[in-house]
Amino acid sequence: MENLLPSILSHEGISRLADGGLYITDRRRLPFEDVEVFCPDAWAASDAIRSMVTQGGGPLEVALNALLLTYRTDRDHLEEAAAALMTARPTNTTMRREISSIMEAYSSGEDMEELIDEAFCRYDGLYDRISDIGAGLIKDGDGILTTCFPEHTFMLSVKKAAMEGRRVSVFVPETRPYLQGAHLTEPCLREMGIECFLITDGMGAHFMDEGRIGIYMTAADLVLPDRTVVNKTGTLSNAIAASYYGIPYYAFTLGVDSSLRKEDIVMEERDGESIRRIGDVPVASEEAMALYPCFDIIDSSLVTGIVTEGGVI
Amino acid sequence: MENLLPSILSHEGISRLADGGLYITDRRRLPFEDVEVFCPDAWAASDAIRSMVTQGGGPLEVALNALLLTYRTDRDHLEEAAAALMTARPTNTTMRREISSIMEAYSSGEDMEELIDEAFCRYDGLYDRISDIGAGLIKDGDGILTTCFPEHTFMLSVKKAAMEGRRVSVFVPETRPYLQGAHLTEPCLREMGIECFLITDGMGAHFMDEGRIGIYMTAADLVLPDRTVVNKTGTLSNAIAASYYGIPYYAFTLGVDSSLRKEDIVMEERDGESIRRIGDVPVASEEAMALYPCFDIIDSSLVTGIVTEGGVI
């Protein structure tokens, strides 16, 4: 399965242990520069996650590698390292759950090297099984709308549908302010040989109205037990439009978060500076007040199905 | 009324006759640089309109001034100048209708100087009356969502509502790819002393979901007799979300275009280059295929009302 993935989603393309530390691919600089951030320890890795060096499924792999690094080099501070990693991104419950469960198994005597290795393998298998289900939802001729950077499960679903002979194309909103769609999703799909069109964030409904979208598919930062989806801002707008046009909306998740309720969601609000600038380039007045809520909360009534390891729920 | 407007919407702030030609404020470079493009004749002015030096209500005033310039300096080519101006932006039917009607009146013996002067005055009066109606739709405490740069009628509506003592704030999507929201709408509102928040194009539904939007108001490039609204891409997405949340959507127009049917609309498709770049700065791979349809077509079922000179229809 690893060889079907675009390069930046391979394990080495996300992060790698070398030179006594951890190299993390800096997704903020893709696709223009292919550089890595070097983290000498788990605290630096935690900072890197916090400052969006990697995101989506990236923090999970970085956290696993950072935990392994700490185990190998600074075992006395393993608990503190785990705590720092788990709080690096409040909404990433997959990472928190995984690190927590590994620490628990370790404290009851299991081998850390094996636990980490087993976790990497488990996620590979999960991506493979979920994308088998995702691919089955894509019909021949489908225009697929997405939002942000839906990573392994979506990429593999589209690739598998194409490999099974179905003609597909993907409409990719650029996803301001961080431009994950333009910087990550579009280059990945192109590398995989999938026809894709870059659009702006307000254009999803336009192409639905023209009848060019057959299915809407995104990742999910969180899925609550009542099927409420939490994902990148912009997801909601397209989900409402999909519902309006009778287009199915599926969200991919590695696991429903059974412990969370809607009231518990910590909404990350980021600095308006990222709206006023693109990289170093000002795109608005310095004096402009800008709002940047990180996530949309999408009511389950707008969600056709959640694509999980066990099937569509 | 002129003194209520933000500076770039004053007559002189749009275009002015001087030095034997026409100066047009280059909106593409606002708010960072305040520069004018000099057009020696109507053909240059027509090219300037085509290359988006000004847009929205700008082309109408530029066309009036360019016609006056031609009348004063090159009267033999008045018909050709009028034809060039009328085709500079296919979707701008207000400009086409106005130039056509002035040329007709002129050919039946009326005075060109007076005709142009009368047209400027007529639009000032129109903006004033329409914004009286628009202001009446805005309630105390309303968060107002807009899209793109809704110009005179919207700006004056918000200003009048504020002057009548109602607390209002405006949520302004940046409006990629040309960023009219960030470059024009937000600075205008700020200059007018109106609280406003710059957001990205995918965030409208987010703030509706949070209950922060009381009304959605945009300009309209075109309104068809069946109340179908044609406006900047991104308008539709927010109109669908407004309908979903039961938030009223009003579009401002100077006049319903009684001669057009939905089938007749010429959809302008622009070069994907403007999605791949912001100004000179690349924001996506050069190899990315990008789509940029200029306008959304918003079905009348999504429109609460069209704000016209004669009232809300």
Side-chain angles (χ1 to χ4, degrees), chain B residues 13-41:
Chain B
I14 292 173
S15 67
R16 61 191 178 90
L17 290 166
D19 305 330
L22 179 62
Y23 286 94
I24 308 174
T25 297
D26 193 343
R27 290 190 179 174
R28 297 170 305 184
R29 295 167 74 176
L30 290 168
F32 308 110
E33 290 175 278
D34 189 2
V35 294
E36 295 172 307
V37 170
F38 180 74
C39 300
D41 56 38

Side-chain angles (χ1 to χ4, degrees), chain A residues 267-307:
Chain A
M267 179 62 65
E268 292 179 65
E269 294 269 351
R270 292 186 188 278
D271 188 353
E273 187 64 9
S274 41
I275 312 257
R276 288 188 295 267
R277 292 175 170 268
I278 293 184
D280 293 333
V281 183
V283 291
S285 304
E286 284 301 318
E287 297 78 29
M289 282 196 289
L291 302 178
Y292 176 13
C294 276
F295 300 107
D296 278 342
I297 298 173
I298 300 112
D299 191 79
S300 59
S301 60
L302 294 166
V303 185
T304 311
I306 309 287
V307 187

Side-chain angles (χ1 to χ4, degrees), chain A residues 247-262:
Chain A
I247 295 164
Y249 167 43
Y250 293 99
F252 290 88
T253 185
L254 303 185
V256 172
D257 202 304
S258 56
S259 64
L260 263 181
R261 291 165 312 164
K262 210 180 270 193

Side-chain angles (χ1 to χ4, degrees), chain A residues 174 176 198 206 278 289, chain B residues 174 176 198 206 278 289 296:
Chain A
E174 58 182 0
R176 282 275 291 140
L198 189 63
H206 180 98
I278 293 184
M289 282 196 289
Chain B
E174 58 180 2
R176 281 274 291 140
L198 189 63
H206 180 98
I278 293 183
M289 282 196 290
D296 278 342

Side-chain angles (χ1 to χ4, degrees), chain B residues 213-224:
Chain B
I213 307 294
I215 189 169
Y216 177 40
M217 295 181 130
T218 72
D221 287 285
L222 275 181
V223 176
L224 307 192

Side-chain angles (χ1 to χ4, degrees), chain B residues 38-312:
Chain B
F38 180 74
C39 300
D41 56 38
W43 287 266
S46 163
D47 286 346
I49 292 171
R50 193 173 286 109
S51 56
M52 303 286 284
V53 170
T54 190
Q55 22 75 300
L60 170 68
E61 298 205 10
V62 167
L64 290 173
N65 272 332
L67 201 63
L68 188 57
L69 174 69
T70 315
Y71 173 74
R72 288 177 183 170
T73 60
D74 187 19
R75 204 167 299 179
D76 291 348
H77 295 103
L78 205 54
E79 283 290 347
E80 293 93 322
L85 291 165
M86 282 162 65
T87 55
R89 295 221 64 196
T91 325
N92 197 319
T93 55
T94 303
M95 175 179 75
R96 199 162 63 223
R97 202 168 42 218
E98 190 58 40
I99 299 296
S100 164
S101 120
I102 287 175
M103 287 304 290
E104 207 171 304
Y106 174 67
S107 70
S108 63
E110 292 188 49
D111 181 81
M112 181 58 84
E113 299 270 351
E114 275 175 28
L115 282 166
I116 303 271
D117 190 53
E118 187 273 330
F120 271 109
C121 290
R122 187 154 28 84
Y123 282 97
D124 283 351
L126 207 51
Y127 296 148
D128 198 29
R129 288 190 298 279
I130 293 174
S131 58
D132 281 344
I133 295 162
L137 298 169
I138 299 168
K139 297 187 301 298
D140 186 45
D142 263 353
I144 307 166
L145 179 69
T146 189
T147 292
C148 201
F149 181 43
E151 306 222 24
H152 301 76
T153 49
F154 173 80
M155 294 292 167
L156 290 171
S157 296
V158 175
K159 181 69 183 173
K160 287 176 180 178
M163 286 170 68
E164 288 161 13
R166 299 198 283 287
R167 290 159 304 157
V168 294
S169 56
V170 185
F171 290 73
V172 182
E174 58 180 2
T175 318
R176 281 274 291 140
Y178 281 123
L179 294 162
Q180 292 96 328
H183 291 179
L184 305 172
T185 311
E186 191 280 333
C188 278
L189 290 163
R190 192 155 32 84
E191 182 186 335
M192 293 162 75
I194 304 293
E195 180 178 69
C196 58
F197 303 106
L198 189 63
I199 62 176
T200 71
D201 299 344
M203 288 181 189
H206 180 98
F207 293 107
M208 292 186 201
D209 191 58
E210 286 187 344
R212 297 172 73 178
I213 307 294
I215 189 169
Y216 177 40
M217 295 181 130
T218 72
D221 287 285
L222 275 181
V223 176
L224 307 192
D226 68 357
R227 295 203 311 165
T228 299
V229 169
V230 179
N231 198 43
K232 179 76 190 180
T233 318
T235 306
L236 174 61
S237 170
N238 287 329
I240 293 169
S243 166
Y244 176 75
Y245 288 106
I247 294 165
Y249 167 42
Y250 294 98
F252 290 89
T253 185
L254 303 186
V256 172
D257 202 304
S258 56
S259 64
L260 263 181
R261 290 165 311 166
K262 210 181 269 196
E263 311 82 85
D264 302 329
I265 297 170
V266 181
M267 179 62 66
E268 291 178 65
E269 293 270 350
R270 292 185 187 277
D271 188 352
E273 187 63 9
S274 40
I275 312 261
R276 287 187 296 267
R277 291 175 170 271
I278 293 183
D280 293 333
V281 183
V283 291
S285 305
E286 284 301 317
E287 298 78 28
M289 282 196 290
L291 301 179
Y292 176 14
C294 275
F295 300 106
D296 278 342
I297 298 173
I298 299 110
D299 192 78
S300 59
S301 60
L302 294 166
V303 184
T304 310
I306 309 287
V307 187
T308 71
E309 183 183 21
V312 179

Side-chain angles (χ1 to χ4, degrees), chain A residues 196-215:
Chain A
C196 58
F197 303 106
L198 189 63
I199 63 175
T200 71
D201 299 343
M203 289 181 188
H206 180 98
F207 293 107
M208 292 184 199
D209 191 59
E210 286 188 343
R212 296 172 74 178
I213 307 295
I215 189 168

